[in-house]
Amino acid sequence: SNASSSSSFLLAIWFRFDPGRVVWFAADAGSGSAVVAGGQSVLSLSTTGQLSLANPGTSNAWTPYTDASQNYGSLLVLRDTGNLQFLGADGKKVVWESFGHPTDTLLPGQLMAPGTLLRSRASDTNFSAGRFIFIVQKDGNIVMYRTDLPGSGPTASINSYWSSGTCCVGNTTLYFDAELVGHLYYRLTDGTSRNLTAPQPVPSAGSRFFYQHATLDPDGILRVYILPNNTGDRNGNATWSVVNTPVPSDGCQAVTNSRRGMCGPN
């Protein structure tokens, strides 16, 4: 996929009919910014089972895992769910999958385990790391932070502008319900579930009639987008609509460090 210029490329996944809808991209593990590949870059699976993106003759620009002791794979498969899976020699064991390492977007059937985060892009067309993160913390709380404010770190509580208010309840897991339209919910350790976004009433039966994705947009708001899969232009001009109340619904009222808020000072 073309990135910032004709000589810059991303390793990415997008909706086939809408190249602008990138739902995952290879990102630097530290910064969260997209790994920019040159025009001669190659994604390769070596005979020893190592998957890597690199310019010929240079060191790897990206590899899906950093632990050299992990089992190597033998098969790379893109599922129709949008999940890119690197499988072991038996074709069953998942060595790595994009669903376990989201960038700024979730797809139906995807979950966020404790410690997983979404990071916004700098803009719709700039895949560098943006100013916001949405994280399922290991203390059970789901929190949205501005990462560009002074403080004791990007996830300092003073930089938070939204929270689920479920701190210290144990493990919390977030799910994108594949059976309904626009439904994100999280399950607490005690087994109870709470809606992050309520299911969207739709005239036709079932979610299979809709394409969906949930994205932490560059403005710091998490939105669920849907598109009926039986209507419209399939040549990159698809008209997606936002469903449900975005999260947060009142982000500009939230006060972060130095009263900067998510929308600017004061």
Side-chain angles (χ1 to χ4, degrees):
S1 175
N2 186 272
S4 58
S5 73
S6 59
S7 60
S8 299
F9 295 84
L10 302 176
L11 175 63
I13 301 169
W14 61 90
F15 284 93
R16 174 182 52 78
F17 53 83
D18 189 351
R21 291 279 151 169
V22 172
V23 298
W24 179 87
F25 51 90
D28 178 78
S31 68
S33 292
V35 172
V36 179
Q40 303 300 313
S41 294
V42 174
L43 178 68
S44 61
L45 176 54
S46 71
T47 54
T48 57
Q50 293 173 297
L51 184 69
S52 64
L53 173 70
N55 276 309
T58 65
S59 59
N60 290 344
W62 176 83
T63 185
Y65 45 79
T66 55
D67 182 357
S69 67
Q70 287 198 38
N71 292 336
Y72 293 132
S74 61
L75 192 64
L76 186 66
V77 181
L78 179 61
R79 305 294 187 188
D80 206 43
T81 57
N83 191 10
L84 182 68
Q85 293 187 319
F86 190 36
L87 304 177
D90 61 359
K92 295 179 181 179
K93 180 180 180 181
V94 178
V95 177
W96 176 92
E97 60 183 353
S98 60
F99 266 25
H101 300 82
T103 48
D104 63 352
T105 295
L106 296 176
L107 291 170
Q110 193 167 359
L111 62 82
M112 292 180 67
T116 307
L117 62 85
L118 303 178
R119 190 187 305 267
S120 67
R121 305 177 198 168
S123 73
D124 286 338
T125 56
N126 183 342
F127 289 78
S128 299
R131 299 185 299 143
F132 303 96
I133 60 173
F134 173 98
I135 182 170
V136 180
Q137 296 184 163
K138 293 183 178 179
D139 62 8
N141 210 7
I142 304 174
V143 190
M144 301 172 87
Y145 295 98
R146 270 188 69 174
T147 60
D148 59 336
L149 298 179
S152 56
T155 56
S157 60
I158 53 175
N159 295 332
S160 165
Y161 62 92
W162 179 88
S163 165
S164 62
T166 52
C167 175
C168 319
V169 298
N171 288 338
T172 296
T173 303
L174 176 72
Y175 298 88
F176 193 158
D177 188 351
E179 301 303 316
L180 297 171
V181 175
H183 187 210
L184 296 172
Y185 67 95
Y186 50 99
R187 183 168 292 151
L188 307 180
T189 300
D190 63 7
T192 60
S193 295
R194 301 183 187 180
N195 284 344
L196 182 67
T197 59
Q200 182 77 3
V202 292
S204 55
S207 62
R208 66 185 182 278
F209 295 107
F210 288 87
Y211 300 110
Q212 306 186 65
H213 69 92
T215 298
L216 180 60
D217 284 327
D219 62 1
I221 295 176
L222 183 73
R223 297 178 176 89
V224 182
Y225 294 86
I226 66 168
L227 178 72
N229 63 12
N230 59 350
T231 61
D233 186 347
R234 289 294 171 266
N235 296 312
N237 298 315
T239 302
W240 295 78
S241 57
V242 177
V243 300
N244 302 306
T245 303
V247 181
S249 58
D250 59 348
C252 286
Q253 273 63 59
V255 177
T256 56
N257 188 23
S258 304
R259 299 194 62 82
R260 294 173 190 265
M262 66 172 295
C263 299
N266 299 310

